[in-house]
Amino acid sequence: MIDIDLKEKTILVTGASNGIGKEGAEFLMKMGARVAVHFNTNKKAAETLVSLYPHTGSKTFGADISIEEDIYKLFDDVCHEFGKIDVIILNAAVFLPHSIQKNAKDWFSVWKKTMDVNLNSVGLLTKLGIDHFIKNGEGRFIYIASRAVFRGETEEYLAYAASKGGMVSLARSIARSFGKQNIKSFIIAPGFTRTQMAENFIANHGEQKVLNEIALNELTKPKDLTPLIGLMCSGLMDHATGATIDMNAGSHIR
């Protein structure tokens, strides 16, 4: 059994009511961390998750991170509740198709929505996090990116790939710029991972299409990422700051 001591850590996880965020938040609570479990619409799932680990003092926080004011409130509420944040995990994202066959107005509407959730919210939370970490003398960011940054995406998901590319560049720049202030920044780049978002793709295109792309016999599951997330939170991987770790079942090897 993996055992990483996170009892002294307070960790904010965005998009923690399902998928990678939920599995990550649960793993961190199992390791003793106090987790700020962010959700947008699925309040019940977030509250159920937190109720399983009452000894950690974890709490749920609702926010629509496509709205600037909600982001400020989310960060302020977490700081007010817990006082100090040690790690911010930027996981919340949307995966919205917008084929180039759409008219320009509709296409760009999806582009803007994707950027608001996947990149603009990340930028603002990063700024707020840097200020907080400098004040407290240390901190860590974990950015959940995508294989799409390095392999490219299909034409239906240009905005998604571009948003994740911006995230990776931001994360690397944070590592280079703020390491001397004891701020670390890590990137995880999953491939196709068995989440609710992925199930929609499977329903439309079939599971075999996805399996044909990977080197292993089964799709990556959210829990496959959790030990890595735990290690990054713990400080045991600090000298990998700025690094991108691929978790894509061998579907894209760099």
Side-chain angles (χ1 to χ4, degrees):
M1 177 182 173
I2 297 171
D3 188 11
I4 302 169
D5 186 2
L6 298 176
K7 294 183 182 64
E8 302 301 317
K9 303 293 185 185
T10 299
I11 303 169
L12 167 60
V13 184
T14 67
S17 63
N18 55 60
I20 293 171
K22 180 179 180 180
E23 290 287 345
E26 181 163 17
F27 181 86
L28 297 173
M29 285 187 278
K30 285 179 179 178
M31 299 300 109
R34 183 169 57 174
V35 180
V37 175
H38 161 256
F39 68 92
N40 181 15
T41 58
N42 201 344
K43 181 178 181 180
K44 182 177 180 181
E47 290 179 341
T48 298
L49 176 61
V50 165
S51 71
L52 299 175
Y53 303 92
H55 61 286
T56 66
S58 298
K59 303 283 186 181
T60 62
F61 298 85
D64 180 348
I65 60 170
S66 70
I67 300 172
E68 181 180 338
E69 291 76 15
D70 273 26
I71 299 170
Y72 286 114
K73 185 176 187 305
L74 168 65
F75 198 85
D76 288 346
D77 287 350
V78 175
C79 289
H80 181 264
E81 182 68 35
F82 294 145
K84 179 185 177 185
I85 304 171
D86 298 292
V87 185
I88 299 173
I89 301 177
L90 296 151
N91 164 76
V94 293
F95 187 63
L96 304 175
H98 62 144
S99 172
I100 206 70
Q101 302 302 318
K102 284 179 174 284
N103 67 62
K105 186 174 181 179
D106 291 343
W107 185 92
F108 194 55
S109 176
V110 176
W111 175 281
K112 289 191 291 184
K113 172 69 173 180
T114 300
M115 292 299 166
D116 281 342
V117 176
N118 293 9
L119 186 57
N120 292 338
S121 71
V122 169
L124 181 51
L125 284 169
T126 296
K127 163 59 178 167
L128 296 170
I130 289 169
D131 292 345
H132 184 80
F133 293 159
I134 289 174
K135 178 182 176 182
N136 289 302
E138 67 173 337
R140 296 175 181 86
F141 293 102
I142 300 173
Y143 297 84
I144 308 300
S146 172
R147 171 188 70 184
V149 176
F150 309 101
R151 195 185 76 157
E153 256 298 350
T154 58
E155 63 91 11
E156 300 100 323
Y157 297 100
L158 298 183
Y160 177 81
S163 68
K164 292 298 186 177
M167 170 190 272
V168 169
S169 185
L170 171 64
R172 290 172 171 174
S173 299
I174 297 305
R176 291 195 65 199
S177 300
F178 296 98
K180 297 294 188 186
Q181 288 148 293
N182 212 20
I183 296 173
K184 292 87 176 181
S185 172
F186 310 95
I187 305 139
I188 301 175
F192 203 94
T193 305
R194 191 132 212 170
T195 63
Q196 181 179 352
M197 191 160 49
E199 293 296 345
N200 294 334
F201 183 92
I202 290 172
N204 291 326
H205 301 281
E207 184 170 343
Q208 194 58 47
K209 178 179 174 62
V210 183
L211 289 172
N212 289 342
E213 291 188 359
I214 67 176
L216 301 182
N217 291 317
E218 62 178 8
L219 296 179
T220 304
K221 297 182 287 296
K223 70 177 182 180
D224 295 323
L225 281 67
T226 58
L228 180 59
I229 291 170
L231 284 169
M232 289 174 171
C233 290
S234 73
L236 294 171
M237 286 188 66
D238 278 357
H239 283 263
T241 189
T244 301
I245 309 297
D246 295 318
M247 295 286 283
N248 62 45
S251 59
H252 183 66
I253 300 172
R254 294 184 288 141

